[in-house]
Amino acid sequence: MLETSARLLRLLSLFQSRRDWTGAELAERLGVTTRTVRNDVERLRRLGYQVDGTEGAAGGYRLGSSAVIPPLLLDDDEAVAVTVGLRGAAGGSVGGIEEASVRALAKMHQLLPAPLRRRVSALEAFSVHASASGPTVDADILTTLASACRDQEQIRIDYRRHDGTESSRAIEPHRLVNAGRCWYLLAWDTGREAWRSFRVDRIRLRPNHTGRRFAQRQLPDDDPAAYVIRGVSMAWPYRVTVIAHANAETILTRLPGQLVVEPIDEHSCRVELSSDTPQVLAAWLGALGVDFDIENPERHPELVEHLRQTGERYRRAAAGGS
């Protein structure tokens, strides 16, 4: 049985790892009785932590918003991950948190034990952050959406589509997906009764949440990130399918993970590509590094013409003349 002070820290750690706990679950994790759990909860409350509870057979506990911030209890790998994440956030795609990330990073360095500080310092010294262009999302919106995913709370949003039109949606948020410099929200659209992916930088939150809780739904794919990215790629105006004369494993190493690559046999595979311009499609095809055939080329005259012009340009450059 843990000593009281160590047990209280362990109890705080459990509250941080999951939102709702029953007294019996906490007692089992701590190796104590439910009576001891109740006493420990009261001790936390006296220390300034807000622990909400409900009575009865189905009752339980939840760590609420307190006057003081509970200590974050991190293992070695978590501490390194937080430190590296803060470094990336200082110049990342979430707006408004750069300065706060730098301050938090300085505090983490001060608190890290010497062996962990050496690990983090080595990583920082020999890694380079490459700047990239892309939309910046509001940190408050991102954290609000993450909380709604966690709490299974239905919210209302105003959403601006890529063509500039806006609409109001009631959604059940399930997952946030970070794809490069873009953040996406995978949610169930209650009005359309379908899964939808929303660019977070195009979301404006309504001030009044519905406050309605929803039941967890079966996600449309075991890999939510892959599902979101596939859906986003399908929305581009230019799409093409080619047969690449190489196995799927080879092609996957040369293209972004969001592209659809379907094996045909050990010497060929089908690749689906999409973009907003035929020029970008041609660039992806060049990245294949192997021969390929365009399925139904008559449906893609702009791409075919661009490939012809690009081929002639490359041939002239290789010949040393214009």
Side-chain angles (χ1 to χ4, degrees):
M1 184 180 298
L2 298 173
E3 295 295 333
T4 301
S5 57
R7 196 172 62 242
L8 290 181
L9 289 174
R10 174 61 175 155
L11 183 56
L12 279 174
S13 177
L14 292 173
F15 279 138
Q16 292 168 6
S17 66
R18 203 174 82 192
R19 183 173 177 81
D20 295 295
W21 292 87
T22 66
E25 289 173 329
L26 292 173
E28 181 180 357
R29 289 294 190 95
L30 297 172
V32 297
T33 64
T34 55
R35 179 187 179 90
T36 300
V37 170
R38 288 195 298 271
N39 292 336
D40 286 346
V41 166
E42 288 302 320
R43 291 187 179 96
L44 290 179
R45 288 168 176 164
R46 289 195 296 270
L47 291 171
Y49 301 111
Q50 180 181 331
V51 182
D52 302 322
T54 56
E55 298 181 353
Y61 300 98
R62 172 188 300 176
L63 187 64
S65 300
S66 304
V68 292
I69 300 177
L72 291 176
L73 308 175
L74 306 174
D75 61 27
D76 288 0
D77 290 338
E78 289 172 339
V80 172
V82 169
T83 306
V84 174
L86 286 170
R87 183 177 185 271
S93 60
V94 182
I97 65 170
E98 296 86 354
E99 183 181 350
S101 298
V102 172
R103 295 198 307 268
L105 183 59
K107 293 179 181 179
M108 285 294 295
H109 269 287
Q110 183 179 3
L111 295 174
L112 286 175
L116 293 187
R117 193 181 303 119
R118 285 195 294 271
R119 285 175 57 186
V120 173
S121 297
L123 183 59
E124 290 180 341
F126 294 96
S127 61
V128 179
H129 177 72
S131 60
S133 59
T136 300
V137 303
D138 184 89
D140 290 337
I141 290 179
L142 199 62
T143 54
T144 299
L145 293 175
S147 297
C149 291
R150 179 199 62 194
D151 300 340
Q152 297 177 215
E153 180 183 2
Q154 186 182 113
I155 60 175
R156 293 197 67 86
I157 64 171
D158 289 326
Y159 188 68
R160 175 175 51 84
R161 293 169 54 87
H162 67 278
D163 59 4
T165 59
E166 295 192 4
S167 61
S168 178
R169 314 283 188 97
I171 61 172
E172 299 175 356
H174 282 73
R175 294 291 188 276
L176 283 165
V177 174
N178 179 226
R181 292 281 294 183
C182 287
W183 284 88
Y184 296 91
L185 174 69
L186 175 61
W188 177 262
D189 190 321
T190 60
R192 292 162 176 77
E193 296 188 343
W195 289 101
R196 291 289 187 268
S197 299
F198 300 97
R199 273 261 300 265
V200 174
D201 59 291
R202 296 175 181 166
I203 290 176
R204 184 162 57 88
L205 294 174
R206 287 291 187 93
N208 53 330
H209 289 193
T210 66
R212 182 183 305 167
R213 301 289 292 275
F214 60 85
Q216 182 70 33
R217 294 179 182 272
Q218 179 67 40
L219 294 175
D221 194 287
D222 292 336
D223 187 344
Y227 176 84
V228 167
I229 296 173
R230 282 197 305 268
V232 171
S233 65
M234 296 286 285
W236 290 116
Y238 294 94
R239 297 170 54 195
V240 67
T241 301
V242 303
I243 304 299
H245 297 285
N247 58 55
E249 290 76 13
T250 299
I251 297 302
L252 284 170
T253 64
R254 301 175 181 178
L255 294 175
Q258 66 263 32
L259 298 182
V260 178
V261 179
E262 176 188 343
I264 296 177
D265 54 40
E266 60 182 7
H267 303 296
S268 62
C269 60
R270 181 173 285 102
V271 184
E272 296 180 15
L273 299 162
S274 61
S275 180
D276 56 343
T277 66
Q279 289 79 8
V280 174
L281 280 183
W284 285 128
L285 291 172
L288 294 176
V290 298
D291 290 341
F292 60 88
D293 301 311
I294 300 176
E295 288 191 346
N296 303 311
E298 68 279 0
R299 298 181 182 177
H300 310 284
E302 292 181 80
L303 174 63
V304 171
E305 176 61 19
H306 182 72
L307 288 174
R308 185 188 66 77
Q309 294 178 1
T310 301
E312 292 178 356
R313 189 178 302 119
Y314 287 176
R315 179 182 57 79
R316 291 193 297 269
S322 60

